């Protein structure tokens, strides 16, 4: 969006000094807030960004919310282009009031890994499924004890609030293809033997033609008496596949949210992506 520098040596010097000042200001701001947004490691190698203080997460999310519920209206702008950064990922405030923001710890990493493809579909990494080099992984947990092999997972799964995986495709059409493939994986979990946990019906959220999300609630095995999720019961968390322009992602909510709360969280995640 920035045009070419104005002609003349004096203007060039001013612009250079301004750029240096901006970089220094950004560094000072990072030290003050405790949050830095770094580019992915070269070559798609896993790298742990570390835990982000909930206060920093809360301030970032509050500015991103488009309404008191965190769900923007249908007039949202078309899908996002360009690279995905940690700014595109879900923040702790999305789970308020069900989970106090101060209890949620955020851990980010970039690379490959298992995502929300459940045991009923056969667990695979994102690279195995889509052939992509890497993605952003974010874990939201209520404990600092995390898996040493993947710090976006809590050591004790009861401490896992949610986990999101997001990346950008070379084009919007390819992002749509990726999202459709990821969704079809999850849909197979809507029919399972009685007594096995199961996903409920698919709910679609659409902000624009290329800004959509599809989510399904999770139902425990005791509620699955027919091989499918009961229509009259509330879910306990769930899974969503998101797509915004050339961005795509999968969000798995582990904390026990009902239909209204799940819909709110999914809309918030979609508005950030």
């Amino acid at each position: 969006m920035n045009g070419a520098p104005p002609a003349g040596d004096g203007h060039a010097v001013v612009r250079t000094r301004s750029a240096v000042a901006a970089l220094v200001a950004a560094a000072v701001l990072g030290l003050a807030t405790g949050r830095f947004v770094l580019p992915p490691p070269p070559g798609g190698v896993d790298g742990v960004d570390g835990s982000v203080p909930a206060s920093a997460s809360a301030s970032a999310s509050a500015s991103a919310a488009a309404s008191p519920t965190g769900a923007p209206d249908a007039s949202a702008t078309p899908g996002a282009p360009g690279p995905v950064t940690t700014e595109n990922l879900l923040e702790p405030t999305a789970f308020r009031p069900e989970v106090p923001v101060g209890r949620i710890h955020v851990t980010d990493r970039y690379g490959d890994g298992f995502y929300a493809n459940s045991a009923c579909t056969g667990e695979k990494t994102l690279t195995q499924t889509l052939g992509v080099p890497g993605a952003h992984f974010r874990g939201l947990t209520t404990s600092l004890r995390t898996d040493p092999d993947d710090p976006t997972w809590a050591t004790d799964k009861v401490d896992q609030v949610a986990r999101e995986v997001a990346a950008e495709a070379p084009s919007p059409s390819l992002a749509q293809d990726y999202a459709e493939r990821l969704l079809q994986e999850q849909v197979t979990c809507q029919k399972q033997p009685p007594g096995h946990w199961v996903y409920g019906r698919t709910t679609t959220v659409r902000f624009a033609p290329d800004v959509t999300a599809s989510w399904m609630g999770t139902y425990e095995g005791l509620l699955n008496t027919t091989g499918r999720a009961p229509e009259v019961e509330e879910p306990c968390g769930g899974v969503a596949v998101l797509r915004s322009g050339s961005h795509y992602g999968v969000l798995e909510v582990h904390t026990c949210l009902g239909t209204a709360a799940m819909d709110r969280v999914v809309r918030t995640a979609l508005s950030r992506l």
Side-chain angles (χ1 to χ4, degrees), residues 62-157:
S63 64
S67 75
T69 62
D73 59 31
S75 62
T77 56
V84 169
T85 73
T86 54
E87 294 299 315
N88 296 112
L89 303 178
L90 201 60
E91 294 280 357
T93 51
F95 296 92
R96 192 172 54 194
E98 290 80 9
V99 184
V101 173
R103 292 187 59 207
I104 300 178
H105 306 280
V106 177
T107 304
D108 294 318
R109 72 175 181 86
Y110 182 90
D112 191 22
F114 296 107
Y115 57 102
N117 52 350
S118 308
C120 65
T121 63
E123 290 189 346
K124 299 183 295 294
T125 68
L126 202 64
T127 298
Q128 289 172 331
T129 299
L130 301 177
V132 296
H136 288 273
F137 288 71
R138 167 162 290 183
L140 298 104
T141 65
T142 56
S143 171
L144 291 174
R145 295 178 62 247
T146 58
D147 187 329
D149 294 327
D150 186 346
T152 61
W153 278 119
T155 303
D156 189 341
K157 291 302 184 282

Side-chain angles (χ1 to χ4, degrees), residues 156-180:
D156 189 341
K157 291 302 184 282
V158 73
D159 295 324
Q160 193 81 35
V161 176
R163 188 167 178 266
E164 186 176 13
V165 182
E168 68 276 0
S171 68
S173 60
L174 195 55
Q176 180 179 5
D177 177 70
Y178 288 167
E180 289 174 352

Side-chain angles (χ1 to χ4, degrees), residues 186-207:
Q186 309 303 325
V187 166
T188 62
C189 298
Q190 289 178 321
K191 186 176 182 181
Q192 291 296 306
H196 190 285
W197 71 265
V198 66
Y199 284 143
R201 62 182 178 84
T202 305
T203 298
T204 299
V205 175
R206 185 181 302 273
F207 293 160

Side-chain angles (χ1 to χ4, degrees), residues 201-227:
R201 62 182 178 84
T202 305
T203 298
T204 299
V205 175
R206 185 181 302 273
F207 293 160
D210 63 344
V211 185
T212 64
S214 297
W215 69 269
M216 296 166 282
T218 301
Y219 294 81
E220 61 179 19
L222 291 176
L223 297 176
N224 175 15
T225 60
T226 64

Side-chain angles (χ1 to χ4, degrees), residues 29-37 52-53 56-57 60 86-87 91 106 108 138 272:
L29 180 60
L31 290 173
T33 61
R35 186 179 186 112
F36 297 87
V37 178
V52 179
S57 298
T86 54
E87 294 299 315
E91 294 280 357
V106 177
D108 294 318
R138 167 162 290 183
R272 293 185 65 86

